[in-house]
Amino acid sequence: MFVSHSNVDYEFVKVIVKTLEKDYNIRCMVAGQEFVGGTPIDENIISRMEESMKVLIVLTPNYTESGWCQYEQRMIFIMSLTNQNNCIIPLMLEPCNIPNTLKGLTYIDANCMSGFAPDLIAQIKVYVL
């Protein structure tokens, strides 16, 4: 599973990734990790997304304001349409404007959960497995 997120939110993402990988054996790819040296960043991102069955989009104001995140989100949407699969898992970590391409999707709302709850991981796991 590719995890699309803002670098500002990395500490939270790191906890999710660690839990999914350790407790549920779900391999996660985060931008920057496992990138091939000397390859343009956008090519690395697309390659890692294509290798993933699902993409978790961690929505925050930081995400919606980031140019790189907007690029990733557009590429994810195009891949989802091209492959005709439901590979996008939106996770609303903090209240923010939902990008137009994601408005038709149901998202996991972490705002209604207190802190980092097992319920959050359980909801992500349902979409992945």
Side-chain angles (χ1 to χ4, degrees):
M1 176 174 64
F2 185 85
V3 182
S4 178
H5 66 91
S6 165
N7 288 336
V8 178
D9 304 316
Y10 180 68
E11 289 305 312
F12 176 81
V13 169
K14 192 165 55 172
V15 173
I16 290 177
V17 166
K18 181 179 177 182
T19 304
L20 289 170
E21 290 184 333
K22 181 180 175 201
D23 296 347
Y24 298 101
N25 201 30
I26 297 171
R27 184 169 179 246
C28 298
M29 293 186 219
V30 179
Q33 297 177 353
E34 302 179 33
F35 276 12
V36 178
T39 302
I41 294 171
D42 59 337
E43 288 180 28
N44 270 315
I45 290 170
I46 291 170
S47 176
R48 295 304 160 257
M49 285 182 195
E50 288 174 342
E51 292 174 15
S52 300
M53 297 293 290
K54 299 285 184 178
V55 179
L56 179 68
I57 299 177
V58 182
L59 295 167
T60 65
N62 300 318
Y63 185 91
T64 59
E65 294 168 10
S66 164
W68 275 111
C69 292
Q70 290 173 22
Y71 171 78
E72 287 180 6
Q73 183 259 317
R74 284 191 302 273
M75 297 312 305
I76 294 162
F77 183 71
I78 291 168
M79 286 173 37
S80 178
L81 290 176
T82 302
N83 299 333
Q84 297 181 351
N85 64 1
N86 186 16
C87 67
I88 302 171
I89 307 169
L91 168 64
M92 177 76 72
L93 179 59
E94 296 175 11
C96 63
N97 293 325
I98 299 174
N100 289 335
T101 54
L102 301 178
K103 285 186 178 177
L105 300 175
T106 303
Y107 59 87
I108 299 169
D109 189 357
N111 294 299
C112 65
M113 301 176 189
S114 57
F116 183 76
D119 290 345
L120 176 60
I121 294 297
Q123 286 187 41
I124 295 170
K125 183 182 78 163
V126 165
Y127 284 96
V128 175
L129 298 179

